[in-house]
Amino acid sequence: MQNKNKKFLPFLYLLPTAILLIVFLIVPILYTFYLSFFDWNLIAPTKEFVGMRNYLEVFTDPVNQKVILNTLIYIVFLVVLNFLFPYFISLIVKFFISKMQGAYKVLFFIPSLFSLVVGAMVFTWILNPVSGPLAYVLKNVGISMPNWSNSGILAITVICFITNWKVFGYNFILLLTGLGSIPKNIIDAAKVDGIPKWRLIWNVILPMNQGIAIYVLILTIVQGLQYVFTPINVITTGGPYYGSSNMIYQTYLNAFVLYKTGTSSALAIVTFVIFLILLFIEIRFVERKAKNYA
């Protein structure tokens, strides 16, 4: 009898977490999926069933098409700034700079400790095209600073740089740690054979660090699209004319500003499915790499 009770003990320990997951994660996702088939404004006592119309609107409405295109642009910028650039710097620090590697970790990680709201406000002041410090410096050398908040692509660029300021250090440490986990005897053997560093990095280091690199890449996309929500909300509120909005911010805008709950729910489900696909890819790559090492 005592052994039988011990079998159920782990499930008992997991019960509080399971309840929290069901209440705050599983149920909201299922309810969002349910709402995506209705036309509702959060206020009316009844909901009108519209079938797949909300999903069709996600892909056919010009505003939503623009938002999806913006999301793809965000992904490209975030991958370059928050993945490729930190990866490049981590390779330089690991294989070309032998001293003070710990200091680089601390210096690059410091911005991660600050709120994105603070960062957005500071960058807005610095990049103010009329009275900001950068505008003042450029004016003294005869250059007029553009009003970037009136241009969708410039606004997206500034927002991505603000996110990069926040995320760079964290991704840098993850990638540098991954590079540090590569067996040193392999690197020493390559040096003895006289293999150039660029070939060592391209043919040995990058393939062996593929697992952590894929993890950081997926994290960059998923976390980055969530992080840009704050500077969008603080600086541009999705403007000009939805030029800086993305799928996550548009979900919030439809739900709590425009009260288009059905469209918002459909956008949320589409975004959720995209994140699930990215998560599946990440798991496949990381597990495959773990099996190769095993």
Side-chain angles (χ1 to χ4, degrees), residues 61-256:
D61 182 73
V63 170
N64 288 330
Q65 288 176 346
K66 187 175 184 179
V67 167
I68 292 172
L69 178 61
N70 291 345
T71 304
L72 295 176
I73 295 172
Y74 271 113
I75 289 173
V76 172
F77 278 34
L78 290 169
V79 167
V80 172
L81 293 173
N82 294 352
F83 174 69
L84 295 179
F85 185 46
Y87 208 170
F88 177 71
I89 299 299
S90 65
L91 287 168
I92 291 176
V93 171
K94 182 64 182 176
F95 297 106
F96 295 92
I97 300 175
S98 57
K99 296 180 180 179
M100 296 180 65
Q101 291 189 6
Y104 286 106
K105 290 181 182 180
V106 174
L107 289 173
F108 288 145
F109 188 74
I110 286 174
S112 301
L113 303 176
F114 294 93
S115 166
L116 260 176
V117 175
V118 174
M121 295 180 71
V122 170
F123 273 90
T124 303
W125 169 68
I126 293 172
L127 300 174
N128 188 305
V130 178
S131 59
L134 185 59
Y136 179 77
V137 172
L138 292 176
K139 186 178 179 181
N140 286 337
V141 295
I143 300 174
S144 178
M145 186 173 177
N147 191 352
W148 53 268
S149 60
N150 287 338
S151 168
I153 191 65
L154 287 179
I156 289 174
T157 304
V158 170
I159 288 168
C160 287
F161 271 109
I162 294 171
T163 309
N164 172 254
W165 168 82
K166 169 79 173 177
V167 175
F168 178 90
Y170 181 76
N171 288 357
F172 167 80
I173 289 175
L174 285 178
L175 292 165
L176 189 64
T177 304
L179 294 172
S181 65
I182 295 173
K184 195 174 185 299
N185 61 326
I186 296 176
I187 299 172
D188 292 338
K191 288 180 180 177
V192 170
D193 292 338
I195 298 175
K197 276 190 177 181
W198 68 268
R199 284 194 60 190
L200 170 66
I201 291 171
W202 184 259
N203 295 327
V204 179
I205 302 300
L206 293 182
M208 293 191 71
N209 198 44
Q210 189 182 56
I212 188 68
I214 293 295
Y215 168 75
V216 175
L217 174 62
I218 304 300
L219 186 69
T220 296
I221 297 172
V222 174
Q223 192 181 60
L225 289 176
Q226 297 177 57
Y227 273 165
V228 296
F229 176 92
T230 300
I232 291 173
N233 196 36
V234 172
I235 301 172
T236 68
T237 60
Y241 306 109
Y242 303 98
S244 62
S245 184
N246 68 0
M247 292 178 71
I248 293 177
Y249 185 79
Q250 197 66 16
T251 300
Y252 158 80
L253 192 70
N254 277 309
F256 302 109

Side-chain angles (χ1 to χ4, degrees), residues 269-282:
I269 294 298
V270 171
T271 307
F272 176 69
V273 170
I274 293 171
F275 284 178
L276 277 182
I277 293 170
L278 292 173
L279 181 62
F280 174 76
I281 294 171
E282 176 195 327

